[in-house]
Amino acid sequence: MTNNSDSPRTTVILPAYNAAGFLERAVRSVMAQTDPNFELVIVDDHSTDGTLDLARKLEEEFGNLTVIALPSNAGVSAARNAGLEAARGSWISFIDSDDQYLPAFLETMHAATAPEVDLVVGGRIVVQPNGTETRNGSRALGEFDGAEACRLAMCDQLTPFPWDKLYRRELFSKVRFAEGAARFEDMAVNVILHSLSRRVRSIDTPVYRYYIMDASLTWGRVPTVADTTVAMNHLNEHLDQRFKEGKYGAAYDCMRSLVILLVAQSAIARGTGSPAAAATVTECRKDLGWRMLYRTLAVHKVIGAGAVLLKLTPSVYAYLYLRHIRAAYGVGKPQTASSEMPAAAPPATPGSGSGID
């Protein structure tokens, strides 16, 4: 769709699936922005709980809100891509249906743009299940060229999420979210978009309120490494070869190690006593090759050390990870390290706090 003089500066895209319990909170946080020059596009992913009816009701209330209803459940990537197809703004931002924008999200993010800045990364406030709020964000702050931002993203120094960012719309002319991906579609597309950017600016000002829920830390089923295949194939297809080798090769391996750790973490959080979780951990340990571990340690000692610990002593890794999610998120129960724990257990993800999404 071509921009015209009546187009808003920003299109905010909100994918929603069975979000009737919190959709209105998210929508009203967008509508309360100090920068009014935006449109909000809600994409309902064929919800079954009244989400679409609520979205239509809100559409009647707000003139700058458009609702798109997908004919079948297609996943969050397809929902975000549908929003991108409908977008009229020169800039793109995202919000998850169970979170909130802080009032100055758009104002703050646009203030950080410049003629060659194509992507802005903001800070966030994390709300734990008990209501405790903590402030965090990317470790890497400042302005970087796209190649360096890509390296930092692969080393977990820039957050992997789509919802704490402001994107120049043209970036999405070359890539979309990987449809059909079970996990890491957001990490994959962000690494690609960093590599396509002329300049990236990362600020520590909180602009987003992210709510941690018990369900956010586990899956309905135990994940497998195969769940990462679609997203990683999408990344490899769209990421220039130079970012996978040479001076970027160690960063690329760091990202691969991180993805494996996150899969193992999900399996551990889902239930360390189950055979399926044990099988996933074993699979993760096999995929952590020693050359990959060595190169990961060279660029990120914490991720590298965690990966080595998972490889060598998974029971200790599981114990430490379970303690971490209890302390950091107020969920989960620490377990005693024992040889009976599954062959996979990961410690908390360091750096940008990518954790289990």
Side-chain angles (χ1 to χ4, degrees):
M1 187 177 296
T2 304
N3 284 343
N4 56 52
S5 59
D6 296 325
S7 296
R9 176 161 65 166
T10 310
T11 296
V12 181
I13 298 171
L14 191 163
Y17 176 70
N18 287 354
F22 29 74
L23 177 65
E24 185 168 357
R25 179 183 69 185
V27 169
R28 293 196 183 279
S29 76
V30 176
M31 293 303 170
Q33 289 298 292
T34 55
D35 174 3
N37 192 3
F38 69 89
E39 65 174 351
L40 173 61
V41 177
I42 298 176
V43 184
D44 178 70
D45 191 17
H46 206 67
S47 296
T48 60
D49 70 340
T51 295
L52 181 57
D53 289 340
L54 175 58
R56 295 291 191 200
K57 179 180 177 181
L58 292 166
E59 184 179 32
E60 293 177 0
E61 179 178 350
F62 298 106
N64 58 341
L65 194 163
T66 300
V67 176
I68 298 172
L70 298 186
S72 61
N73 182 251
V76 67
S77 289
R80 287 177 178 145
N81 289 342
L84 287 168
E85 290 296 323
R88 299 183 300 126
S90 301
W91 294 84
I92 301 292
S93 66
F94 297 91
I95 180 173
D96 281 357
S97 60
D98 54 349
D99 294 333
Q100 290 178 292
Y101 275 1
L102 296 182
F105 179 104
L106 292 176
E107 181 181 359
T108 300
M109 299 292 266
H110 278 294
T113 62
E116 291 195 349
V117 171
D118 295 324
L119 198 161
V120 179
V121 185
R124 68 179 189 240
I125 294 173
V126 178
V127 184
Q128 298 181 13
N130 64 5
T132 301
E133 294 188 356
T134 56
R135 170 179 167 173
N136 64 28
S138 298
R139 291 194 175 220
L141 300 173
E143 188 173 321
F144 315 96
D145 63 39
E148 175 62 6
C150 177
R151 187 191 70 81
L152 290 168
M154 290 192 292
C155 290
D156 199 36
Q157 300 299 298
L158 292 171
T159 60
F161 315 113
W163 36 254
D164 59 356
K165 296 176 177 63
L166 181 70
Y167 305 88
R168 199 178 294 274
R169 181 181 170 188
E170 283 76 10
L171 290 178
F172 287 102
S173 66
K174 301 178 180 179
V175 67
R176 289 286 198 268
F177 290 89
E179 298 190 17
R183 288 201 80 178
F184 304 115
E185 76 290 334
D186 47 2
M187 178 187 293
V189 80
N190 271 306
V191 168
I192 298 165
L193 293 173
H194 286 310
S195 76
L196 296 174
S197 299
R198 292 170 297 175
R199 308 286 297 177
V200 173
R201 182 168 291 166
S202 175
I203 62 176
D204 63 355
T205 306
V207 294
Y208 194 92
R209 181 171 280 111
Y210 174 68
Y211 288 85
I212 293 285
M213 302 179 186
D214 286 359
S216 301
L217 297 176
T218 61
W219 278 19
R221 61 176 178 81
V222 174
T224 67
V225 175
D227 292 320
T228 71
T229 300
V230 173
M232 296 307 290
N233 286 347
H234 186 73
L235 184 147
N236 287 325
E237 178 184 351
H238 291 89
L239 185 66
D240 192 274
Q241 185 62 32
R242 72 186 180 106
F243 293 108
K244 307 171 196 174
E245 57 192 23
K247 68 178 183 178
Y248 300 103
Y252 182 73
D253 276 348
C254 180
M255 177 188 63
R256 292 170 62 205
S257 296
L258 175 60
V259 167
I260 293 170
L261 282 178
L262 292 173
V263 172
Q265 286 176 6
S266 291
I268 291 165
R270 182 67 181 88
T272 56
S274 76
T280 291
V281 174
T282 298
E283 187 181 13
C284 289
R285 292 173 67 208
K286 289 180 180 177
D287 281 1
L288 289 170
W290 287 111
R291 182 173 183 271
M292 184 195 305
L293 293 173
Y294 175 79
R295 284 155 63 94
T296 299
L297 279 166
V299 295
H300 202 307
K301 288 182 172 55
V302 180
I303 292 178
V308 170
L309 184 62
L310 174 62
K311 179 84 170 176
L312 295 177
T313 56
S315 61
V316 174
Y317 186 57
Y319 173 72
L320 294 175
Y321 176 66
L322 292 170
R323 284 178 61 90
H324 164 73
I325 62 173
R326 185 181 188 185
Y329 306 122
V331 298
K333 297 178 180 179
Q335 301 185 18
T336 302
S338 92
S339 59
E340 296 180 357
M341 297 190 88
T349 302
S352 64
S354 39
I356 298 176
D357 196 12

